Amino acid sequence: MAEAQRRPTLMDVAKAAGVSRALVSIVMRGAPGAAESTRARVLEAARELGYRPDSRARLLRSARTRLLGLSFSTSQPFHAEIVDAAYAGAAERGYEIALSAVASGRPETRAAEALLDMGCEALILISPTLGSEELAGFSRRAPVVSLLRDDVGDDVDSVSSDDHAGIRLAVEHLAALGHRRIAHVDGGEAVSAAQRRVAFRAEMLRRGLEPIVVPGGPTEEDGLRACALLPDNPPSAVVAFNDRTALGVIEGLRTAGLRVPSDVSVVGYDDSQFARLSYVQLTSVSQDAPLLATAAVDRAVDRLAGAEAPAHLVRTPHLVVRNTTAPAPAD
Amino acid sequence: MAEAQRRPTLMDVAKAAGVSRALVSIVMRGAPGAAESTRARVLEAARELGYRPDSRARLLRSARTRLLGLSFSTSQPFHAEIVDAAYAGAAERGYEIALSAVASGRPETRAAEALLDMGCEALILISPTLGSEELAGFSRRAPVVSLLRDDVGDDVDSVSSDDHAGIRLAVEHLAALGHRRIAHVDGGEAVSAAQRRVAFRAEMLRRGLEPIVVPGGPTEEDGLRACALLPDNPPSAVVAFNDRTALGVIEGLRTAGLRVPSDVSVVGYDDSQFARLSYVQLTSVSQDAPLLATAAVDRAVDRLAGAEAPAHLVRTPHLVVRNTTAPAPAD
DNA sequence: GTCGTTGTCTAGAACGTTCTATAGACTGGT
DNA sequence: ACCAGTCTATAGAACGTTCTAGACAACGAC
């Protein structure tokens, strides 16, 4: 159908209810200044006509748009979890979320600019790939919060997960199960791979254990390949860079005739969908998307409220124990 | 920083370039009616001031917003692939995409209404869960295209994938490899499970083969469980409802001591990320997200251009052969 | 009675753009 | 010389909302 039937405006409702445009506006946004009786009458007229406020006009006119811009990447399943939680967090603080995706022919700059053009008061960028100076450029127009990445310069807020703490949790868990020979299949050049590698070394040394670090990468292939590089006398546990890396490692161990977790325990990182799959049930370090999302929203809202300087918030991850870790075999 | 520094408007650029507001507008949107020399001067002034058009005002004023609303679910990784492709498709037809997510506390109605309020000219809803009458309601305001679901009534367009053809491709492939005993682990009550089940039966009978249908479901657990229900004399090939189901089946076969694909071949459906994982390499029927996305965009744009009645488009899926299918064992 | 005070309502400007109508300044053909 | 046509530019209304300022009535306090 979709006839060219003009959608009703404030004016239409005003006429129907026999009041002024301004009063309908007051009623529609629940502002004080209308008698209860007329309020009801206006609301009824609006319902009758099927009136819905036009967000373009509303956004254009009002000083505060109460709109938070959120950019995410279509290629990262983890981002979707954050988007989900961000909606709830924003609603709780009385804000709306405007989405903009980083897609194939659509670079991050474009996504961020679109959000600004829509009238967003602040920007939340999920693991931005932009440089500090570019981010600083955006931050001159609106407060910017970098989510999942913290090396973004001093003009931009950041909310990220404590990699050191995450790795410590993993090692702690394995050590408590009696493991002494623990290897780390690292993330190679991937984002935050260096931090996790350093954290692993530090944590192992702190416990008087020898840190075995094997070069890996962020994908299953990398994990698979890394298995070939494990010492002949294999470790009894592996901390993988990533859940995907962990899956590759598990596959590699399996084909080498080792059983997980009875022979070798494996810990992943991210607690992604993979990890939760019933036939995987991977023990993994969770960055907790909802927690990060609400922290980022809160930070953005606070920046809009007060005038505090940008800060770098770090959230502590937690360990989700499933079925790929078990007590060390009594060798 | 984020000072309260007002962003430059058309008026500012006009003053700087010494022309009228209207002319700057003409230049900014590349419309005819400006001399090349002044065009350059205006553009320079705009660049100088860092002017960016305000999309709220633009959207509010212009008759054609050239905005396509796209709703997707954060919990479906497949939707992300479609979003990605939709951006490219829309850009090609001179349209922009406005996103709205269906998230935890955010039902589909809310997502769709938000898109309408933003001034979208048409709506593309990815596998909508709304009823036909509700969809028809939206279609009175703007053309609506349902993506991935076709039983949406006659007021709404739909673009979906041909389940029958997909199953046929799978069976064809297996038959060509010499398989005669082929089982289908179905999707139980899941969306489009019935269609695929019917298609499998029909296709097997057409070939004079006995259709073995085993009750399953859309997750790995279901696939795993279904393995126990396979006849004692196991089939040499399985067509799973789903990639996830297929993974469960593979796991089940493996633990039963059967090798994939040398003992049993397995075909999945969706060609999801799982399927492409290097250690899985699942042969799967691909619905081809980019194809579906551009088809939906094209359909929406066509509806906006012409006045044709809603149609139900069906795209033919294709088979992606990987490493979980092999010639039938010479029994 | 007059005077704030409070509660309800309204007129009209404003937001930054696009659209419609029109005005001048050139062309070139007669 | 004059008119038609094209090109360039502009003024001002419009889009649908919110905001500012103020009008009007009712009320109680003096």
Side-chain angles (χ1 to χ4, degrees):
Chain A
M1 300 293 124
E3 291 308 317
Q5 119 195 25
R6 200 178 53 79
R7 81 187 257 170
T9 78
L10 273 189
M11 196 58 209
D12 299 322
V13 179
K15 268 192 196 122
V19 295
S20 73
R21 231 168 52 245
L23 189 57
V24 179
S25 169
I26 286 172
V27 170
M28 289 319 292
R29 69 199 133 95
E36 213 44 60
S37 56
T38 46
R39 196 177 286 272
R41 189 154 41 92
V42 168
L43 247 24
E44 169 59 21
R47 207 191 48 73
E48 192 89 18
L49 292 174
Y51 169 79
R52 303 214 81 235
D54 185 309
S55 75
R56 296 167 293 176
R58 165 172 287 190
L59 254 33
L60 174 58
R61 176 55 211 189
S62 44
R64 302 289 315 272
T65 60
R66 305 199 76 83
L67 208 56
L68 256 35
L70 182 57
S71 93
F72 70 103
S73 169
T74 54
S75 60
Q76 314 262 217
F78 188 56
H79 289 197
E81 299 185 40
I82 293 179
V83 170
D84 194 289
Y87 271 110
E92 208 164 301
R93 309 281 303 241
Y95 280 77
E96 292 274 315
I97 289 284
L99 286 185
S100 189
V102 175
S104 295
R106 196 166 193 266
E108 197 158 26
T109 334
R110 182 103 144 275
E113 273 167 354
L115 291 172
L116 247 23
D117 295 345
M118 288 172 87
C120 292
E121 294 187 51
L123 257 43
I124 300 175
L125 310 178
I126 310 185
S127 35
T129 55
L130 293 174
S132 305
E133 55 304 331
E134 292 167 295
L135 290 171
F138 283 116
S139 80
R140 268 192 295 277
R141 306 216 153 282
V144 173
V145 179
S146 160
L147 191 42
L148 289 184
R149 190 179 139 218
D150 63 352
D151 57 332
V152 285
D154 288 332
D155 297 317
V156 176
D157 285 79
S158 75
V159 171
S160 54
S161 184
D162 186 341
D163 279 323
H164 197 104
I167 292 292
R168 180 168 47 235
L169 283 171
V171 173
E172 215 159 64
H173 169 63
L174 293 171
L177 288 171
H179 294 275
R180 317 263 317 153
R181 284 183 53 76
I182 306 175
H184 175 49
V185 174
D186 79 0
E189 302 298 315
V191 183
S192 62
Q195 286 97 309
R196 293 184 193 169
R197 191 162 42 227
V198 169
F200 177 76
R201 283 223 179 81
E203 184 59 20
M204 287 295 280
L205 291 176
R206 201 177 67 78
R207 297 178 169 273
L209 300 174
E210 185 207 356
I212 310 171
V213 175
V214 179
T219 70
E220 291 82 6
E221 285 94 317
D222 299 315
L224 207 55
R225 255 198 314 273
C227 280
L229 304 174
L230 287 174
D232 291 338
N233 170 19
S236 72
V238 174
V239 176
F241 166 66
N242 204 328
D243 284 348
R244 299 185 62 184
T245 314
L247 289 191
V249 168
I250 291 175
E251 191 64 15
L253 292 170
R254 252 188 185 174
T255 53
L258 292 166
R259 315 207 128 252
V260 175
S262 46
D263 295 329
V264 184
S265 287
V266 176
V267 180
Y269 207 110
D270 278 353
D271 190 29
S272 59
Q273 292 212 319
F274 303 122
R276 297 172 218 158
L277 295 182
S278 70
Y279 75 103
V280 175
Q281 293 288 352
L282 181 67
T283 295
S284 185
V285 177
S286 168
Q287 305 197 335
D288 203 336
L291 195 74
L292 289 173
T294 51
V297 167
D298 285 353
R299 186 65 200 146
V301 172
D302 289 351
R303 278 295 301 284
L304 289 172
E308 317 143 43
H312 298 283
L313 262 63
V314 177
R315 296 279 146 188
T316 309
H318 64 269
L319 188 74
V320 180
V321 178
R322 294 201 183 84
N323 301 341
T324 58
T325 47
D331 57 334
Chain B
M1 300 296 119
E3 291 309 316
Q5 117 195 22
R6 199 177 52 80
R7 81 187 258 171
T9 78
L10 272 190
M11 196 58 209
D12 299 321
V13 179
K15 271 196 193 118
V19 295
S20 73
R21 231 170 51 246
L23 189 57
V24 180
S25 169
I26 286 172
V27 171
M28 290 317 294
R29 68 199 134 96
E36 214 41 62
S37 57
T38 46
R39 197 177 285 272
R41 190 154 42 88
V42 168
L43 247 24
E44 169 60 20
R47 207 190 49 71
E48 191 88 20
L49 292 174
Y51 168 80
R52 304 214 81 236
D54 184 310
S55 75
R56 296 167 293 177
R58 166 172 287 189
L59 253 35
L60 173 59
R61 176 55 210 186
S62 43
R64 303 290 314 272
T65 61
R66 305 198 76 81
L67 209 54
L68 254 38
L70 181 58
S71 92
F72 69 103
S73 168
T74 55
S75 60
Q76 313 261 217
F78 189 56
H79 290 197
E81 299 184 40
I82 293 179
V83 169
D84 194 287
Y87 270 110
E92 209 163 299
R93 309 280 304 242
Y95 280 77
E96 293 273 316
I97 289 283
L99 286 184
S100 191
V102 175
S104 296
R106 199 167 191 265
E108 196 159 27
T109 334
R110 183 104 143 273
E113 273 167 354
L115 291 172
L116 248 23
D117 295 345
M118 288 171 86
C120 292
E121 295 187 48
L123 259 41
I124 299 176
L125 309 178
I126 310 185
S127 34
T129 55
L130 293 174
S132 305
E133 57 302 335
E134 291 167 296
L135 289 172
F138 284 115
S139 80
R140 267 192 296 275
R141 306 216 151 281
V144 173
V145 179
S146 159
L147 191 41
L148 289 184
R149 193 182 136 215
D150 64 352
D151 57 331
V152 286
D154 288 330
D155 296 317
V156 176
D157 285 81
S158 76
V159 172
S160 54
S161 185
D162 185 343
D163 279 323
H164 198 105
I167 292 292
R168 179 165 51 234
L169 282 171
V171 173
E172 214 158 63
H173 169 63
L174 293 171
L177 287 170
H179 293 275
R180 317 265 314 154
R181 286 185 50 78
I182 306 176
H184 176 48
V185 174
D186 79 359
E189 300 300 313
V191 183
S192 63
Q195 285 97 310
R196 293 184 193 169
R197 190 163 41 229
V198 169
F200 176 77
R201 282 223 179 79
E203 183 59 20
M204 287 294 280
L205 291 175
R206 202 177 65 80
R207 296 176 170 274
L209 300 174
E210 184 208 354
I212 311 171
V213 175
V214 178
T219 70
E220 291 82 5
E221 284 95 316
D222 299 314
L224 207 55
R225 253 199 315 271
C227 281
L229 304 175
L230 287 174
D232 291 338
N233 170 19
S236 72
V238 173
V239 175
F241 166 66
N242 202 328
D243 283 349
R244 298 185 63 183
T245 314
L247 289 192
V249 168
I250 292 176
E251 192 64 16
L253 292 171
R254 251 188 186 174
T255 53
L258 292 167
R259 314 208 128 253
V260 176
S262 46
D263 294 329
V264 182
S265 287
V266 176
V267 180
Y269 208 110
D270 278 354
D271 190 30
S272 58
Q273 292 210 319
F274 303 122
R276 297 172 218 159
L277 294 183
S278 69
Y279 74 102
V280 175
Q281 293 290 353
L282 180 68
T283 294
S284 184
V285 177
S286 169
Q287 304 197 335
D288 203 336
L291 193 76
L292 289 173
T294 53
V297 167
D298 285 354
R299 186 65 201 145
V301 171
D302 289 352
R303 279 295 302 282
L304 289 173
E308 317 142 45
H312 298 282
L313 262 63
V314 177
R315 296 279 146 188
T316 309
H318 64 268
L319 189 73
V320 180
V321 178
R322 296 204 182 82
N323 302 339
T324 57
T325 46
D331 55 333

